[in-house]
Amino acid sequence: MYQPIVGADSRYPVGFEALARWMSPTLGCVAPAKFIPVAERAGIIGRITQTLLKKALEEAGKWPVGLRLSFNLSADDLTSDEGIASIVDIVARSAVDPERIDFEITETAFIQEFAFDRVREAVLTLRRMGCGVSLDDFGTGYSSLSYLHALPLTKIKIDRSFVTGIHNNPSSYKIVKSLFALSKDMGLDCIVEGVETDAEMATVRSLGDALLQGYAFARPMPASQIDAYLDSAPSVCTEGPRAGRVPLIS
Ligand code: C2E
Ligand code: CA
Ligand code: CA
């Protein structure tokens, strides 16, 4: 599935995040929070990542060239030599410019202390290819600031827990406001995740220009719906690949 990431002002998509689903003949649609940890424990996440990344790049190759692809990586993808080598290989073979790809990593990749140097090396490898690297679920771990300090990141994604009810919660408001300032000072883009309501959207927008993602804009959708979504994307498009284009449906 693909969920748009939109500009706070234009509300026009700048890219999509690929979100895995498993259609099991017996279990139906299984959420990634269920099957990804199992695949990690079973030692097969590398193969799943390869399959998903190939599929996502194939789809992204059909989008207008200004649109980016965000892709989630697991700890194993970053800490095993084969993991990162296969990702580099898949990106190199794809028709999508590496500069259009953002890999999303979380703090769980660093749980084992020895992994830090490996993760740093992996992030450097992805950056050297031209890809962006985002720190996902920012603020939920114990050491988000250390990673921000030590890794050559390009984006942070502020976790949904700081956004839910932000219009009624002064501490969430202050945290998100401070993270906007921090990301700006550090020259990083900032994505606010999990914006669900108009009230949350209005409060976040009042704090400055960022990228937003959440049910308030669109739920994750199958690739087949992306064209129709782009044509009906709300608001006047002032930035991105369809700048100046009048949406077909408003
Ligand atoms: P994530 O990377 O933080 O992705 C955001 C999750 O929040 C997605 O859940 C998305 O559907 C959901 N979401 C988006 N907007 C809203 C909103 O406004 N409200 C609420 N309540 N939820 C929202 P999903 O698709 O179930 O994915 C869950 C997690 O599974 C992801 O969290 C990510 O950590 C992991 N995941 C998904 N796809 C992959 C993948 O291909 N590889 C790996 N390694 N992990 C993946
Ligand atoms: Ca993510
Ligand atoms: Ca997240």
Side-chain angles (χ1 to χ4, degrees):
M1 303 288 265
Y2 299 87
Q3 187 181 32
I5 298 168
V6 306
D9 278 341
S10 68
R11 301 190 203 178
Y12 204 77
V14 297
F16 291 84
E17 177 176 3
L19 293 160
R21 299 287 181 269
W22 173 28
M23 284 307 294
S24 156
T26 43
L27 301 171
C29 182
V30 185
K34 289 234 162 73
F35 74 82
I36 297 266
V38 178
E40 286 173 342
R41 285 199 296 278
I44 56 167
I45 189 69
R47 274 158 56 202
I48 291 180
T49 298
Q50 289 173 31
T51 305
L52 289 169
L53 181 59
K54 281 181 200 157
K55 281 184 100 162
L57 285 169
E58 205 180 303
E59 289 304 332
K62 301 176 199 163
W63 305 341
V65 284
L67 288 175
R68 305 181 65 81
L69 169 71
S70 293
F71 187 87
N72 294 285
L73 293 179
S74 285
D76 259 21
D77 299 322
L78 294 159
T79 52
S80 76
D81 290 338
E82 317 84 69
I84 202 71
S86 69
I87 289 166
V88 168
D89 187 53
I90 291 166
V91 170
R93 284 168 193 268
S94 114
V96 177
D97 183 344
E99 300 207 345
R100 287 174 60 200
I101 307 168
D102 292 308
F103 286 102
E104 300 195 358
I105 65 173
T106 62
E107 274 186 41
T108 52
F110 308 90
I111 280 174
Q112 295 138 320
E113 225 168 277
F114 75 87
F116 187 84
D117 286 342
R118 278 181 168 257
V119 173
R120 188 163 196 284
E121 205 40 57
V123 170
L124 278 168
T125 304
L126 297 172
R127 290 297 315 279
R128 277 191 215 109
M129 270 199 310
C131 303
V133 180
S134 314
L135 191 54
D136 205 351
D137 305 341
F138 189 83
T140 55
Y142 295 109
S143 337
S144 301
L145 289 176
S146 323
Y147 300 129
L148 199 57
H149 184 237
L151 296 173
L153 300 162
T154 51
K155 286 186 175 70
I156 60 171
K157 293 190 81 170
I158 301 178
D159 190 68
R160 175 160 63 90
S161 54
F162 299 109
V163 181
T164 305
I166 187 174
H167 49 293
N168 290 323
N169 186 328
S171 58
S172 298
Y173 180 88
K174 285 175 194 157
I175 288 171
V176 173
K177 189 176 173 196
S178 306
L179 291 178
F180 271 30
L182 177 70
S183 58
K184 196 170 176 196
D185 281 350
M186 294 192 72
L188 299 168
D189 289 327
C190 187
I191 301 177
V192 181
E193 295 193 281
V195 182
E196 286 188 354
T197 66
D198 286 348
E200 290 166 0
M201 190 201 306
T203 306
V204 173
R205 290 179 75 199
S206 75
L207 289 175
D209 198 23
L211 299 170
L212 311 180
Q213 187 177 3
Y215 296 167
F217 306 99
R219 291 190 175 243
M221 62 188 82
S224 57
Q225 285 176 17
I226 288 180
D227 257 0
Y229 166 78
L230 289 176
D231 283 337
S232 66
S235 173
V236 179
C237 170
T238 55
E239 60 191 16
R242 294 198 175 189
R245 182 186 159 127
V246 180
L248 295 181
I249 309 163
S250 57

